[in-house]
Amino acid sequence: MTYIDFFHSAGLGLATGLALIVAIGAQNAFVLRQGIRGEHIVPIVIVCALSDAVLIAAGVLGTGALLTAAPTAVVVLRYVGAAFLVTYGLMAARRALRPQALTTAEGTRNDGGAKRGIAAAVTTVLALTWLNPHVYLDIALLGSIASAQGTQLQWWFGAGAMLGSILWFCSLGFGARFLRGFFARPLSWRFLDGGIAVTMVALGTGLVLGA
C-alpha cells in the first residue's frame, strides 16, 4: 500500500461525492436561495456538511445496505419526504406569485419583512436533507464503492467524499452572493422560486410514484 493508493481512493471519493451532490435538488435549491438572501449561511453550510459527513460515514460502515434491506422503513420515509417536498414546493410557488427583491448587499427585502429565523432555516435544511429517501440510496452506493476499496482505503474514500461535500456547500452558499445583483429584481426571484416549486413538486411526485 502506497501514498498513491491513499490519494487515489480519496480522489475517487471526492469525485463520487461531488457527482452525487452537485445536482438540482431540494437541499441545493434551499442553500442557493439562502445564500442569495444572505440568511444564516454559516450554520446552514455547517449543518449540510456535517449531515453529509454522518451519512457518508454511515455508508462506509455499511448502514446503507441495512437501510435498503428494510423496505417498510423506506416506504414510510418515501411518503413523509414526498409530503414535505410538495408542501415546500407549494410555498415556493406562493412566493413566485408575490416576488420580492433584494435592496442591500445583506439581503434586505423590499417589503421590510423579517428574515427567516435561524431555527426555522436549520430545521428546514435538516428536513430537506434527512427526509429525502434518495440520500439513503446514495449512502448505499457510496458504501458499496467504499467497501470495494478494502478496509485500509475505505475511510480515505469516505474522507474524499466528505471533502467534496464541504467544498460544494461552501461554494454554493458563499458563492451565491455574486448573484445578488441579478436578484435585485422581483422578476428574478419569480423565476428562481418558480423553478424551485417545479423541482420540489416533481421530486415529491416522483417519490410517490416510486421514481
Side-chain angles (χ1 to χ4, degrees), residues 27-47:
Q27 184 190 52
N28 286 341
F30 181 77
V31 175
L32 176 63
R33 192 175 195 282
Q34 293 298 110
I36 292 171
R37 293 179 63 83
E39 292 183 14
H40 316 303
I41 306 306
V42 173
I44 286 176
V45 168
I46 290 175
V47 167

Side-chain angles (χ1 to χ4, degrees), residues 130-143:
W130 291 90
L131 290 180
N132 179 9
H134 290 298
V135 76
Y136 299 101
L137 298 177
D138 291 345
I139 289 177
L141 176 60
L142 283 171

Side-chain angles (χ1 to χ4, degrees), residues 47-198:
V47 167
C48 289
L50 285 178
S51 294
D52 269 15
V54 171
L55 290 167
I56 292 168
V60 174
L61 291 171
T63 306
L66 180 62
L67 287 171
T68 57
T72 301
V74 173
V75 170
V76 172
L77 187 64
R78 172 184 295 174
Y79 284 102
V80 172
F84 181 83
L85 289 174
V86 171
T87 300
Y88 191 86
L90 294 176
M91 292 171 60
R94 182 181 179 183
R95 290 195 304 265
L97 294 176
R98 296 185 299 179
Q100 300 163 353
L102 298 180
T103 56
T104 70
E106 288 72 28
T108 303
R109 301 189 304 182
N110 65 352
D111 62 351
K115 290 184 177 182
R116 176 192 295 266
I118 185 172
V122 170
T123 300
T124 299
V125 78
L126 282 172
L128 290 172
T129 301
W130 291 90
L131 290 180
N132 179 9
H134 290 298
V135 76
Y136 299 101
L137 298 177
D138 291 345
I139 289 177
L141 176 60
L142 283 171
S144 64
I145 300 176
S147 63
Q149 305 301 303
T151 56
Q152 293 184 332
L153 295 175
Q154 61 182 3
W155 284 109
W156 283 86
F157 175 89
M162 293 176 191
L163 176 60
S165 174
I166 294 172
L167 292 175
W168 170 249
F169 287 116
C170 286
S171 300
L172 187 64
F174 297 110
R177 62 178 181 172
F178 297 108
L179 298 175
R180 288 177 184 169
F182 177 73
F183 285 95
R185 297 173 293 175
L187 182 61
S188 300
W189 282 102
R190 173 164 287 171
F191 282 120
L192 177 64
D193 282 323
I196 291 175
V198 172

